[in-house]
């Protein structure tokens, strides 16, 4: 089973005046810490809400210092359970982001195509393409490439 895991990070940023500046610096700082080892982790602005449900900007600034909420997404492959995927994501990201608190927000199972669906799709595509080709072209292709059964024998 493969899972997409979203982890929230609280990134501190120093000497900033605006929220936009804090967000840009936090994304850059996080990217530097994750790259090149985890360049497949997507970095997005986090979403914050007040207790009353009002949307807040992802950065909180006080005394020229900011705390920025970022969402880090990564895909974890070949896991047994969602809990296993969240542990792997926290460990991989947490090793590179020292002293930055992390919280798993979401674990989504990625649907895998079964072998039956893939063969059905391939058969359909082959049938459709054979219909569009002329019989002369199809005969030439048969002479150039042997059938699969002939190769197996």
């Amino acid at each position: 089973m493969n899972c997409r895991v979203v982890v929230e990070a609280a990134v501190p940023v120093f000497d900033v005046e605006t929220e936009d500046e804090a967000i840009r610096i936090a994304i850059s700082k996080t990217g530097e810490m994750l790259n090149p080892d985890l360049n497949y982790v997507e970095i997005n602005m986090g979403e914050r809400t007040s207790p009353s449900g009002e949307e807040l900007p992802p950065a909180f600034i006080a005394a020229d210092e900011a705390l920025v909420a970022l969402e880090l997404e990564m895909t974890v492959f070949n896991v047994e359970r969602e809990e296993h995927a969240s542990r792997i994501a926290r460990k991989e990201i947490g090793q590179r982001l020292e002293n930055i608190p992390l919280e798993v927000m979401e674990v989504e199972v990625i649907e895998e195509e079964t072998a039956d669906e893939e063969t059905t799709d391939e058969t359909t595509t082959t049938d459709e393409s054979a219909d569009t080709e002329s019989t002369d072209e199809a005969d030439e292709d048969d002479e150039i490439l042997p059938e699969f059964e002939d190769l197996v024998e």
Side-chain angles (χ1 to χ4, degrees):
M1 166 170 70
N2 301 332
C3 293
R4 186 106 177 124
V5 182
V6 179
V7 178
E8 182 180 44
V11 181
V13 180
F14 307 101
D15 298 325
V16 293
E17 295 178 8
T18 65
E19 294 168 354
D20 289 338
E21 181 183 17
I23 293 167
R24 283 194 306 271
I25 292 171
I27 290 173
S28 175
K29 179 180 175 180
T30 304
E32 287 176 7
M33 288 190 275
L34 292 175
N35 282 324
D37 297 332
L38 295 180
N39 59 359
Y40 49 85
V41 175
E42 296 177 27
I43 303 170
N44 300 311
M45 292 188 307
E47 297 177 2
R48 293 184 18 214
T49 56
S50 69
S52 63
E54 179 184 347
E55 285 192 30
L56 299 172
F60 174 75
I61 299 176
D64 290 338
E65 294 185 10
L67 189 61
V68 181
L70 295 180
E71 292 180 357
L72 309 172
E73 290 184 39
M74 72 180 287
T75 303
V76 182
F77 299 98
N78 299 326
V79 293
E80 296 175 10
R81 300 183 316 243
E82 292 180 17
E83 181 181 330
H84 186 215
S86 66
R87 285 186 195 160
I88 291 172
R90 276 192 66 159
K91 180 181 182 231
E92 290 295 317
I93 293 171
Q95 286 178 341
R96 275 96 180 160
L97 302 181
E98 293 182 20
N99 299 322
I100 294 180
L102 300 174
E103 180 182 338
V104 176
M105 295 179 59
E106 178 183 346
V107 179
E108 176 185 345
V109 176
I110 300 173
E111 296 297 325
E112 298 179 31
E113 290 187 26
T114 62
D116 295 337
E117 290 177 8
E118 290 175 4
T119 56
T120 304
D121 292 342
E122 289 174 8
T123 305
T124 305
T125 306
T126 306
D127 292 343
E128 290 171 359
S129 63
D131 292 340
T132 58
E133 293 181 37
S134 69
T135 55
D136 293 336
E137 291 175 335
D139 290 339
E140 289 176 14
D141 289 342
D142 289 341
E143 293 172 9
I144 295 172
L145 298 174
E147 291 295 322
F148 179 73
E149 290 81 17
D150 295 337
L151 293 173
V152 173
E153 294 175 356

